[in-house]
Amino acid sequence: MSSSPDLPDGPVSPLDGVVVLDLSTSVAGQYAGRLLAMNGADVVLVEPPGGTPTRRRGPRAEGDSFLFRHLNQGKRSLVHDRRSPADRKTLRELTGRADVVLRDQGSAAPEGAGGRLVDCVVGDVPEGGAYAGWRFSEMIHQALAGAMKTTGEYDREPIYGLGERASYATGTTAYISVVSALHERRRSGSGQRVDSTVFESLAAMGQNIVSQYSYNGTHATRQRYPGFLALLRCADAWIVLFVIRNWPTVCRVLDCEHLLDDERYRTSGDRLRNWEEIVAVLQERAATRRADEVVEECQRGRVSAEKVAGLGDLLESEQWRVRRVMTRVSGPGGEEPAVRSVFTIDGAATEVRSPSPRLPDPSSRDQRRSA
């Protein structure tokens, strides 16, 4: 198997030399593979004839879906037909040389695994548990975890968090589990099986919900937030203010300093009791202002404020430019925009290196070199 392309002189990647076979078909499993690839692992996506299901999932422009591109940038691809003795032999040989395998829950462990292999199994719920027979979606996971119970207006139905946030959280958990197992292998010399499920990842994300109920038997609801939170519509966009401190700054920025002399709003307790009245005044003043202007002035005065931004706004935002969130990667298959790095490690290269792999020709004699 060929190694990853040589990096320019400079920092090395944390996982240089680690070989990963990504047999998974889920968002969570393939996202774990992306994180491993971004940190230097040589990740080979093993696909059935016709391609992995994520190639066809979600919106697409030309060819593969945007979801597939994001999940699989930095990887190479191998078409594996289980009916083919030659393909099965190739996979056994690759498994014997791999350090890590990512696979779906319910799938069989690949043949040829050695004692040093880290076998990462990614699924919806723990095997054999109370929900083992269920069929899941992102919405069902969010509802079951309790996240939807606390999201949305109290007098309306709960809000479903769009996207694949539960699966991305699970992919991150799988990545951490794999890296931990690789670290432990340096001591023991042995691999191990690690499991990552959406059910457990969401339980960890909702730790405050679980802790609160365990502590005093109460739980959060969608009742009005009992604090200094304001969602205001400016002339061009919505903004969110959290005015737990620096009340005079908010009054100055929104040109309502007369509120500082109003006895009804003298103390924090007074303002909390009359918060809806205050928000009505703030909304009136914000309606003619530009969101970026209000946010900048509030942040300068150390008030928590942020613009409710769409994806297009984020791509053009100063913060994303300064932090270099996005980049473009190119390879034999063309060029793609990409999230540059999910996190950084001082002194190490952690950036995505190549676009998502094109589906190899199954008739190719040397698919292992596909990219």
Side-chain angles (χ1 to χ4, degrees):
M1 181 185 302
S2 60
S3 61
S4 300
D6 291 336
L7 293 172
D9 292 339
V12 297
S13 297
L15 299 178
D16 275 347
V18 173
V19 176
V20 179
L21 293 186
D22 187 351
L23 307 175
S24 68
T25 61
S26 67
V27 172
Q30 292 183 4
Y31 184 63
R34 187 193 205 276
L35 293 177
L36 292 165
M38 290 178 70
N39 285 276
D42 182 12
V43 182
V44 181
L45 178 67
V46 180
E47 308 185 66
T52 188
T54 56
R55 286 190 184 269
R56 301 174 294 278
R57 184 172 166 185
R60 54 204 289 184
E62 296 179 4
D64 300 317
S65 70
F66 296 118
L67 175 65
F68 171 84
R69 294 178 186 181
H70 173 62
L71 294 174
N72 294 288
Q73 287 168 340
K75 302 179 186 179
R76 298 186 292 121
S77 180
L78 168 73
V79 170
H80 171 67
D81 187 344
R82 291 180 296 177
R83 298 168 300 179
S84 166
D87 284 3
R88 293 200 300 270
K89 179 181 177 183
T90 296
L91 186 60
R92 281 197 303 271
E93 293 173 350
L94 291 174
T95 302
R97 303 206 302 267
D99 298 286
V100 178
V101 165
L102 300 170
R103 61 184 175 95
D104 299 332
Q105 188 181 74
S107 64
E111 298 178 23
R116 290 175 54 82
L117 182 73
V118 175
D119 180 20
C120 180
V121 180
V122 182
D124 283 307
V125 295
E127 293 179 345
Y131 302 102
W134 286 38
R135 295 181 62 186
F136 287 92
S137 66
E138 177 79 15
M139 181 181 290
I140 291 174
H141 275 301
Q142 290 189 27
L144 192 62
M148 289 174 64
K149 182 176 178 60
T150 62
T151 308
E153 298 291 339
Y154 74 93
D155 56 349
R156 298 189 61 185
E157 54 279 311
I159 293 178
Y160 159 55
L162 296 177
E164 304 284 346
R165 60 187 65 184
S167 293
Y168 286 122
T170 308
T172 304
T173 300
Y175 164 80
I176 293 170
S177 300
V178 166
V179 172
S180 299
L182 289 171
H183 180 72
E184 196 281 333
R185 191 180 71 173
R186 297 174 63 183
R187 180 191 66 81
S188 67
S190 300
Q192 61 179 290
R193 170 171 168 167
V194 293
D195 292 80
S196 179
T197 67
V198 182
F199 183 88
E200 292 167 297
S201 296
L202 280 181
M205 290 173 65
Q207 60 179 305
N208 291 342
I209 300 174
V210 176
S211 299
Q212 178 179 334
Y213 187 79
S214 299
Y215 179 69
N216 59 19
T218 65
H219 53 82
T221 69
R222 294 193 304 282
Q223 295 291 335
R224 183 177 67 85
Y225 185 81
F228 302 97
L229 190 68
L231 179 64
L232 307 177
R233 174 67 181 176
C234 293
D236 58 338
W238 291 89
I239 64 172
V240 177
L241 295 181
F242 189 44
V243 198
I244 196 171
R245 61 178 65 85
N246 295 341
W247 164 242
T249 298
V250 176
C251 293
R252 176 184 56 77
V253 170
L254 290 174
D255 193 26
C256 52
E257 291 176 288
H258 64 282
L259 296 180
L260 297 173
D261 299 322
D262 195 316
E263 290 296 329
R264 293 174 298 171
Y265 316 131
R266 179 72 64 183
T267 67
S268 293
D270 294 334
R271 293 193 291 275
L272 185 59
R273 282 189 294 273
N274 297 286
W275 186 241
E276 291 185 2
E277 298 175 10
I278 293 174
V279 170
V281 177
L282 299 180
Q283 175 58 78
E284 180 182 359
R285 301 306 173 92
T288 58
R289 300 282 300 278
R290 292 186 60 82
D292 287 336
E293 177 186 89
V294 174
V295 168
E296 182 180 355
E297 292 184 25
C298 283
Q299 290 185 352
R300 191 182 303 127
R302 302 187 68 79
V303 172
S304 298
E306 192 50 84
K307 178 181 177 180
V308 180
L311 184 57
D313 297 322
L314 290 173
L315 289 171
E316 299 299 324
S317 69
E318 180 182 10
Q319 182 177 141
W320 276 37
R321 284 198 307 273
V322 170
R323 294 181 179 274
R324 297 174 58 224
V325 171
M326 300 297 296
T327 188
R328 297 193 71 84
V329 287
S330 58
E335 184 181 72
E336 293 175 354
V339 176
R340 183 179 65 88
S341 184
V342 178
F343 55 84
T344 59
I345 301 173
D346 288 345
T350 58
E351 298 187 10
V352 65
R353 291 158 172 74
S354 60
S356 57
R358 300 298 179 259
L359 187 63
D361 180 357
S363 64
S364 171
R365 296 183 62 185
D366 189 7
Q367 297 175 32
R368 284 177 288 178
R369 294 186 179 276
S370 300

